[in-house]
Amino acid sequence: MFRGAFSKLGSSVVSRNAINTRQMSQKLAGKVAVVTASTEGIGFAIAKRLATDGASVVVSSRKKNNVEKAVAEIKSLTDNVAGIPCHVGKSEDRQLLLDFAVAKFGGIDILVSNAAVNPVMCQILDTPEEAWDKIFDTNVKAAFLLTQSAVPLMEQRGGGAIVYVASIAGYNPMTLLGAYSVSKTALLGLTKAVAAQCSSSNIRVNCLVPGIIETKFSDALTNNDAALDMIKQNVMLRRVGKPDECAGIVSFLCSEDASYVTGENFVVAGGYYSRL
């Protein structure tokens, strides 16, 4: 139902997509990727996959300790990783993030915008203005501004790939996550608009739309029996997803395998309904 919704669906659930990262291809060799909010969950899985597929990856999140831990874990698989703290809501942090990538690896070819917040649980018309602004500043405005700054750097490299991380809630708004849901709908539109403008610069823009994924973002609903019943009734695969199950499609979208793919929203939701 949204980007990271619920935890395990019983002990019988076994990930059907376990990844042996040491045997990955090198289809992204020579590429430099920046991934925001990439020290845990979906963002970390994406950063790890891009790195093990050959890209040099810059990991980031707000807390230095989390960045160092994520970098160390990926370094156990490949040396093509570095990290820097970044609060995407701060213009100086966004600029430092991009400057770091250029200084460390020589440029930017790939941007994965994954950062998002949801400070309130309420119906949309009950959302305080302050919370509304925070949600849209982080989930939409920061993605837009980061794109504005990254595109010229990609143009210097002859092109690139951008992937926004939205949510199935962008298609099916959750009652108590109204503002968050609308912010994710905005990313679906941002994908289309940016793709149209960037096509002449050989920059492809697509969007990952995760469904019910097991992450920390879902902790509040982990032991919710009603939520688990909803999964059984509405998700065709009858289980939650794993972060690694979102990573492969992002690697594909950033590779030459997707050279004729842009302006699209890709749902990874186990068969959950996904239409506006």
Side-chain angles (χ1 to χ4, degrees):
M1 298 205 357
F2 60 105
R3 174 169 154 247
F6 310 107
S7 188
K8 296 178 182 178
L9 182 57
S11 59
S12 63
V13 174
V14 177
S15 174
R16 295 161 174 79
N17 201 30
I19 297 173
N20 184 343
T21 54
R22 294 188 182 277
Q23 297 178 1
M24 286 295 180
S25 72
Q26 290 295 297
K27 65 185 177 184
L28 298 178
K31 303 298 183 182
V32 179
V34 172
V35 187
T36 64
S38 51
T39 58
E40 61 185 26
I42 293 172
F44 177 74
I46 291 170
K48 181 175 65 173
R49 179 62 180 261
L50 297 183
T52 54
D53 276 354
S56 296
V57 177
V58 175
V59 169
S60 67
S61 71
R62 289 183 298 171
K63 296 182 179 180
K64 182 179 178 181
N65 289 344
N66 291 345
V67 171
E68 292 174 345
K69 180 181 177 181
V71 168
E73 186 168 343
I74 296 175
K75 272 189 176 292
S76 69
L77 305 170
T78 174
D79 289 331
N80 302 331
V81 63
I84 182 173
C86 176
H87 187 315
V88 297
K90 298 180 179 179
S91 60
E92 60 272 23
D93 277 22
R94 293 192 301 269
Q95 191 59 53
L96 284 172
L97 173 63
L98 300 181
D99 289 347
F100 179 81
V102 172
K104 185 71 177 179
F105 295 122
I108 297 174
D109 304 286
I110 296 166
L111 171 65
V112 180
S113 180
N114 178 58
V117 297
N118 181 61
V120 294
M121 295 279 286
C122 63
Q123 296 189 74
I124 190 163
L125 295 182
D126 298 326
T127 306
E129 182 178 359
E130 181 180 351
W132 180 275
D133 288 344
K134 183 174 183 179
I135 289 169
F136 276 81
D137 280 350
T138 301
N139 300 8
V140 183
K141 184 178 178 181
F144 165 71
L145 293 175
L146 195 56
T147 301
Q148 275 192 323
S149 297
V151 163
L153 299 173
M154 292 181 179
E155 290 175 334
Q156 293 174 13
R157 308 266 285 187
I162 298 170
V163 177
Y164 299 119
V165 179
S167 166
I168 199 67
Y171 287 111
N172 298 291
M174 288 192 68
T175 301
L176 295 180
L177 293 173
Y180 172 89
S181 300
V182 175
S183 75
K184 294 302 184 174
T185 306
L187 289 180
L188 306 180
L190 183 65
T191 297
K192 299 285 187 182
V194 177
Q197 181 172 350
C198 288
S199 59
S200 60
S201 296
N202 192 34
I203 298 172
R204 297 178 297 99
V205 186
N206 293 288
C207 186
L208 169 68
V209 185
I212 303 168
I213 309 298
E214 183 182 342
T215 69
K216 267 188 183 177
F217 198 74
S218 67
D219 282 352
L221 299 174
T222 296
N223 298 312
N224 189 315
D225 290 338
L228 296 180
D229 286 341
M230 184 284 303
I231 296 172
K232 294 175 183 178
Q233 294 170 15
N234 295 291
V235 176
M236 291 181 186
L237 294 183
R238 303 293 190 261
R239 65 179 179 87
V240 301
K242 302 288 186 179
D244 283 346
E245 293 179 297
C246 296
I249 193 167
V250 175
S251 182
F252 162 74
L253 291 172
C254 295
S255 76
E256 287 303 308
D257 290 339
S259 59
Y260 199 52
V261 180
T262 195
E264 300 293 345
N265 298 306
F266 290 85
V267 177
V268 180
Y272 190 77
Y273 183 80
S274 57
R275 294 291 182 274
L276 285 174

